[in-house]
Amino acid sequence: MKTVELGRTGEQVSQLALGCMLMGTTTDEASANTMLNRYLDAGGTFLDTANCYTWWEERGSLGGHSEEVLGRWFASTGRRDDVFLATKGTALVKDLDAVWVDDQPDWERAYQNFDGAGGDNLRRSVDDSLRRLQTDHIDLYYVHVDDRSTPLEESLEALAGLVQAGKIRYIGWSNVRTWRLERIRQLCAQHGWPAPVAVQQQHSYLRRKAGLSHISIVDDEQLDYLQAHDDLTLVAYSPILKGIYDDAAKRAKHPMMALYAGPDADARIAAVEDVAAEVDATPNQVVLAWLLHQTSPTIVPLMGPRTLEQYDAGIRAVDVKLTSDQLGRLDAAGA
């Protein structure tokens, strides 16, 4: 597997990251361990998790399952130094009873109950993650959900202190507007604080439908901003949109498609299917390969398989080679 530089840090990470969100819940621990071993054996190095994964799978849970699975895997294999480890804080639910309705999580209520990016909470969250992960440092620590109720100065100063203490090496931001990224960078330059080197957003081959405003999906302005600031790497979560490219029936009923559906999406799905037939790959694999071919900005797709079968299908995308003609057709498809 090839590597790419993370921002302008000099740090090389694998071009395809492994999302560990489901490990310990819908992915059992034995399967998770097999997945992790296969990923490293294939040359993968970039693992991604969060302290809140996955509270929504079980009422009464605060999450932490994925970090705990990784911690036990590090302890049993001794492979902590073989990976670049990213985790996140600020999206733990403070009042679980307030966000469960009829035994289902209410995400609108959840967003109003996140613990946020206050300085004390960041310091506590990092220590808790280090304990679960059974490590003494985190390579990349994200503010998981941008917190506008806390002054950025407070969050950034706390993160700078955690870097200085050696508990985290680099910082990142996720689910964030472009203007907030610029303000964060300005404050870091003004105070000499470590600036983000990665931004994690939802990004795929399909483009959000016209008129949609969504804090988590990369839009044209954010893409332009990232192209102009190559010290930020885009880590693209949900790159295959829950696997909808491979399955027309799934697309027809999946709630993810509400963000993308329309003539532009139809044209781009058709283009993906044509190229997939030409290269003997699945449409999901072609989408991952298209993202891996992007250089401005640099994009690291983050695949989050639930099963070993899904992992094996996803990892094959690194071997899918697209010609300049095929890339051009994929780029040009749609409105």
Side-chain angles (χ1 to χ4, degrees):
M1 192 183 305
K2 295 180 181 178
T3 63
V4 297
E5 184 179 6
L6 185 71
R8 290 202 298 262
T9 64
E11 194 81 46
Q12 293 290 317
V13 298
S14 54
Q15 63 177 162
L16 182 63
L18 179 61
C20 304
M21 180 175 74
L22 302 178
M23 293 181 180
T25 49
T26 56
T27 303
D28 66 81
E29 190 158 349
S31 297
N33 290 340
T34 300
M35 200 178 293
L36 290 162
N37 289 327
R38 287 184 186 178
Y39 176 68
L40 266 68
D41 291 345
T45 62
F46 196 174
L47 301 181
D48 182 275
T49 186
N51 65 347
C52 65
Y53 293 159
T54 52
W55 66 265
W56 53 90
E57 292 294 340
E58 180 183 0
R59 185 162 188 165
S61 170
L62 286 170
H65 311 84
S66 173
E67 289 186 333
E68 289 172 350
V69 167
L70 287 173
R72 289 190 289 269
W73 180 75
F74 291 142
S76 66
T77 63
R79 304 191 79 171
R80 170 65 185 91
D81 292 339
D82 296 336
V83 305
F84 187 86
L85 175 63
T87 192
K88 315 177 194 72
T90 74
L92 278 179
V93 174
K94 294 181 292 186
D95 183 357
L96 287 169
D97 289 338
V99 304
W100 284 86
V101 179
D102 298 328
D103 289 324
Q104 294 293 325
D106 184 317
W107 283 97
E108 289 300 321
R109 295 186 183 190
Y111 272 89
Q112 303 304 315
N113 274 277
F114 288 157
D115 56 349
D120 288 342
N121 189 57
L122 285 169
R123 288 183 283 269
R124 180 171 54 252
S125 295
V126 165
D127 285 342
D128 288 346
S129 287
L130 289 171
R131 174 179 49 78
R132 284 189 292 267
L133 289 162
Q134 300 190 46
T135 187
D136 62 356
H137 71 282
I138 294 159
D139 295 303
L140 175 61
Y141 192 77
Y142 292 97
V143 169
H144 197 164
V145 177
D146 190 31
D147 173 15
R148 298 193 194 180
S149 65
T150 300
L152 279 171
E153 292 87 344
E154 179 182 343
S155 303
L156 290 166
E157 186 173 24
L159 291 167
L162 289 162
V163 171
Q164 186 174 24
K167 294 182 178 183
I168 61 179
R169 296 178 60 212
Y170 304 105
I171 72 168
W173 233 264
S174 185
N175 302 298
V176 61
R177 295 286 189 189
T178 306
W179 69 267
R180 288 278 288 180
L181 273 178
E182 176 60 19
R183 180 60 178 149
I184 289 163
R185 289 162 56 87
Q186 289 175 356
L187 287 170
C188 290
Q190 178 183 340
H191 294 279
W193 293 326
V197 301
V199 57
Q200 189 174 132
Q201 298 284 89
Q202 185 168 307
H203 186 58
S204 185
Y205 173 66
L206 292 189
R207 298 180 283 220
R208 60 179 175 72
K209 64 183 181 183
L212 178 71
S213 177
H214 198 293
I215 191 171
S216 300
I217 300 176
V218 174
D219 59 16
D220 292 344
E221 180 184 24
Q222 193 160 81
L223 195 60
D224 180 68
Y225 185 86
L226 293 169
Q227 289 169 340
H229 297 90
D230 64 358
D231 55 334
L232 279 168
T233 293
L234 173 58
V235 179
Y237 75 79
S238 295
I240 57 172
L241 304 178
K242 310 296 185 184
I244 56 89
Y245 293 96
D246 279 0
D247 190 335
K250 187 175 186 178
R251 283 198 300 275
K253 62 183 180 180
H254 202 287
M256 184 71 82
M257 279 305 296
L259 305 172
Y260 298 92
D264 185 68
D266 293 342
R268 287 174 83 81
I269 287 169
V272 165
E273 291 175 339
D274 287 345
V275 171
E278 293 170 7
V279 299
D280 192 25
T282 69
N284 283 337
Q285 290 166 348
V286 168
V287 168
L288 286 172
W290 177 81
L291 289 165
L292 291 170
H293 278 77
Q294 304 306 302
T295 58
S296 181
T298 299
I299 298 174
V300 176
L302 175 62
M303 68 169 186
R306 177 177 54 85
T307 66
L308 290 171
E309 181 182 22
Q310 290 174 351
Y311 167 81
D312 289 339
I315 199 71
R316 284 196 285 271
V318 302
D319 296 322
V320 175
K321 307 304 179 187
L322 302 176
T323 67
S324 57
D325 173 71
Q326 289 166 336
L327 288 168
R329 284 155 49 204
L330 288 169
D331 290 342

